[in-house]
Amino acid sequence: MTDSDLMPIGAFARIVGLTASALRFYDDAGILRPDHVDAQTGYRFYSEEQVVTAQRLRELRELGMPLSDVSRFFAAEAASDSAESLRLLNDHMRRVSTENARSQQVAARLTESLQSKASASLCALPGPIFAAAVDQLLATTTDDPSFPVLNGVRLCVEPDALTLAATDRYRFTSRTLVPSRSAGTTWAGTVSGATLRNTVSVIRRSPTVTLAAGDGFLRVVLEDGTVCQCTLIEEPFPDTSDFLESLPSAIHRCMVDRRQLLRTMEQRPLEKLGLRLTSSGIQVLAPDDVPDLEGTGDDSELTLWFELTTLHPAMTNALGNDLILDVSASDQPVILRSADDGDFTTIIMPCQAPAH
């Protein structure tokens, strides 16, 4: 190979992804010698055959392999001893994995220490029950960039209860849980639905979770010490107390079999579903014959129409099978209640009857 076939250090550095200073260092360390050094100028020149070696060197250093092991690695490759090269690489990666695990443990301890000073404990609950409640409330949220709070879940902590609430402006849902342990404090905040969705799967697998509040975040501490941090939405949550107090008193009340109604909706996916409340139960208004739903009612009769996209999620996420509908009028919000495993309330808006 003539000098004209060789590459100066700058050109070689660009090809292999190393700096010229790094190449000089590896030359001085005896790891990667240049093919030729000009005796008068001291300029280093490299051959095309050295490109693969230099790239391999860069990769090994990116993995953090010390130069002593890099030297042994190249010696094994020169001897065509692939088994030794693999052994050196695997031994190094095991050390890296152990060091990373140790660093993560130290970081977790520091994080826990810092966050515990910046947050206040609220209450503890069974993880699966808290996760199920969060799932139910998330079904009522919506992603509206102009109204970010609609993608959040409101948590209100009292000494003896935790209430979750959410709304998408067409539905309002609340769920109350009884903590297994309470700090006796009162707190309220709107938790980002996006961060809750990212954590609910791990919360569900923890027998117990502890809630703690900080400045701008809610911490969910799992039983194994893992900390899930959820951001809070600063935008004010709609004043639900005024909304609930402003609802008209129920004039009609009936109990309905949730499974039957869900099955009816799923077998007849209509855009709108009509329900006629009677003293004997509930009749479904559909183009074909539909058996009356099991349930009880009062002596009055009233017909309600609902969008399928409003009624079906409310029924799907309700608790238990026996649901109570509190109705004031066909054009007023309907309150859907259940009381299995803690109370669950959803307020849904009827719609106009379909045009014929």
Side-chain angles (χ1 to χ4, degrees), residues 44 117 268 278 294 346:
R44 296 170 171 85
K117 296 178 181 178
R268 297 166 181 81
T278 70
E294 294 180 7
T346 298

Side-chain angles (χ1 to χ4, degrees), residues 264-274 284-288 305-309:
T264 298
M265 286 188 284
E266 290 162 1
Q267 291 174 349
R268 297 166 181 81
L270 306 172
E271 290 185 7
K272 294 184 177 182
L273 187 73
V284 178
L285 306 181
D288 52 352
W305 287 91
F306 295 97
E307 300 279 355
L308 181 67
T309 53

Side-chain angles (χ1 to χ4, degrees), residues 27 75 89 128 138 169 196 235 263 277 320 322:
D27 178 15
L89 180 60
L138 287 174
R169 287 182 295 199
L196 280 174
E235 182 180 352
R263 188 161 53 247
L277 313 184
D322 297 318

